Amino acid sequence: MRIDPNVVIPPVTRDAREAPSTAKSEAAASSASVVKLSAAGASASAGAAAVAPTTTTRLQTIRAMLDKGDYPVDLDLLASRIVDDELLRVGRA
C-alpha cells in the first residue's frame, strides 16, 4: 500500500477559472511511503481470511434455506433484538 505524503488540495473559490492539475510528477510518486506488514500483521491477516469462508458458507446456506422456505424465523425473537438494538443506539439501556 502506498501513501502519498504530498497531497495538497487547493481551496475551492468562486472565481477559479480552471481546474488545478491533478497529474502526479515522477518525484512525488517515488517519494510515497510503502507500508509492509510485520510477521504478526501478516498472520493476523491470514487468520481473518480463513474465517471469512466459513461465515460466507453459513450465510449462503441460510439464504438458500430462506429461499426454499425451510428456515424457521422466530419473529418474536427478531423483534426483541431489533428493539434491544434501537435502545442501545439511543442510549437508554
Side-chain angles (χ1 to χ4, degrees):
M1 180 166 89
R2 293 188 176 271
I3 301 171
D4 191 1
N6 300 322
V7 175
V8 177
I9 300 173
V12 178
T13 60
R14 291 182 182 197
D15 56 336
R17 304 272 172 169
E18 66 182 47
S21 172
T22 58
K24 292 183 180 180
S25 67
E26 294 284 330
S30 66
S31 68
S33 301
V34 176
V35 177
K36 294 183 181 180
L37 291 178
S38 65
S43 67
S45 177
V51 174
T54 304
T55 304
T56 304
T57 304
R58 178 72 178 140
L59 288 174
Q60 288 173 348
T61 304
I62 292 172
R63 283 187 187 119
M65 291 173 72
L66 283 170
D67 289 341
K68 290 186 226 175
D70 295 337
Y71 190 81
V73 178
D74 185 354
L75 296 178
D76 292 328
L77 180 61
L78 178 62
S80 70
R81 288 184 180 174
I82 291 171
V83 169
D84 291 344
D85 184 56
E86 187 63 28
L87 289 175
L88 289 174
R89 289 176 193 258
V90 174
R92 291 183 243 154

